[in-house]
Amino acid sequence: IYLVRKKLDSGWNEETYHLALYKTIQEHNVPVEFKPKRVLYHRDNAVHTFEADLIVWDLIIVECKALPFERNFIGEHYAQVIHYLKFYGMDLGLLVNFAQSPVLIERVLWDTPIPTISENYDYFQQGLTPVDRDNLLRIRQIIQLVIKQYGLGYPETVYRRIIAIEASYVGLTCVSDVEIQANWN
C-alpha cells in the first residue's frame, strides 16, 4: 500500500489505485483477486452482487478509496467492508484512503454477532383481524428464518429482497422496493 502511494502520489482516481495495488501485490507473488464478483442467491433468485476491490491470500478484503476531502472514514465505508466480510466469509478487512498524506489505513474486524429479535405489537394489536394476525405470524416466521439463515452483516436492501422472495415463496404478496410520492401541503 505504501509503495503504491509513494509511486503514484495523490490525485489519481480510485480505479487507478485499485489496479496499481493489484499489480504490485502480484509482483510480490502474493495471491490476490481483483474485483471478484459473486452473487448472493436465495431460492435460486439473485439477491445482490458483491464486488470487493481486492481479496488477498483468500483472507483479507482490501477496499481502496481516493477521498481527498475526508480525513477519516465514515460509517458507509465501514459498512461496505463489513458487508463484503460477511458475504465472503472473512473476518479482516482494510480500508485504504490513497488521497491522504500519509495514506490512511484502517483495519476492520468482523465477528458475526448473535442476533436478538425484539418484538412489540401493543400499538396495533387491538386493530388486527384474524387474517391480519395470521399474516403477521407468517411475516414474523419469515423474518426469523431469514435472520437464522443469514445472520447480521448485510445491507438492509439485501434483507428486504430476501424477505420479499421468501414471502412470495409462502404465498404472500410482497413488494420490497415501494416508492411513495410525498406532497407538501
Side-chain angles (χ1 to χ4, degrees):
I1 291 169
Y2 290 115
L3 183 61
V4 167
R5 178 59 166 78
K6 185 176 179 181
K7 283 183 180 179
L8 290 181
D9 203 19
S10 63
W12 297 95
N13 66 20
E14 196 173 294
E15 193 62 34
T16 301
Y17 292 114
H18 293 171
L19 198 52
L21 185 56
Y22 172 66
K23 299 251 183 217
T24 302
I25 292 171
Q26 279 187 318
E27 288 169 5
H28 287 85
N29 296 316
V30 173
V32 60
E33 289 182 78
F34 181 74
K35 297 218 173 257
K37 281 187 181 180
R38 300 201 182 109
V39 179
L40 174 66
Y41 288 93
H42 182 74
R43 297 204 183 273
D44 296 325
N45 291 279
V47 173
H48 189 79
T49 301
F50 290 89
E51 182 181 9
D53 290 344
L54 300 168
I55 297 179
V56 182
W57 284 302
D58 288 327
L59 295 171
I60 304 167
I61 301 282
V62 179
E63 182 61 29
C64 302
K65 301 291 181 192
L67 307 165
F69 303 109
E70 294 184 32
R71 300 293 310 157
N72 297 305
F73 294 110
I74 59 174
E76 292 172 15
H77 301 137
Y78 293 103
Q80 182 182 15
V81 174
I82 287 169
H83 303 327
Y84 292 151
L85 292 172
K86 167 70 176 172
F87 178 73
Y88 289 98
M90 299 175 193
D91 57 12
L92 176 60
L94 295 177
L95 262 172
V96 182
N97 185 359
F98 282 100
Q100 295 298 318
S101 182
V103 64
L104 178 62
I105 304 170
E106 288 203 26
R107 291 182 345 148
V108 178
L109 302 174
W110 174 248
D111 184 19
T112 305
I114 298 170
T116 58
I117 298 175
S118 174
E119 302 176 78
N120 183 350
Y121 306 107
D122 294 341
Y123 178 73
F124 57 87
Q125 187 76 11
Q126 291 177 341
L128 293 177
T129 67
V131 172
D132 292 335
R133 288 181 196 282
D134 182 51
N135 286 333
L136 180 62
L137 178 61
R138 293 168 71 191
I139 293 167
R140 180 182 177 274
Q141 290 169 337
I142 289 168
I143 292 170
Q144 287 177 331
L145 176 119
V146 169
I147 293 299
K148 183 178 180 181
Q149 185 171 349
Y150 293 95
L152 302 175
Y154 288 124
E156 55 91 16
T157 54
V158 167
Y159 294 107
R160 275 191 296 164
R161 178 81 175 113
I162 293 170
I163 288 169
I165 291 167
E166 195 61 30
S168 177
Y169 180 78
V170 299
L172 289 174
T173 302
C174 178
V175 180
S176 63
D177 295 318
V178 176
E179 290 187 24
I180 301 172
Q181 183 176 351
N183 295 312
W184 183 254
N185 290 333

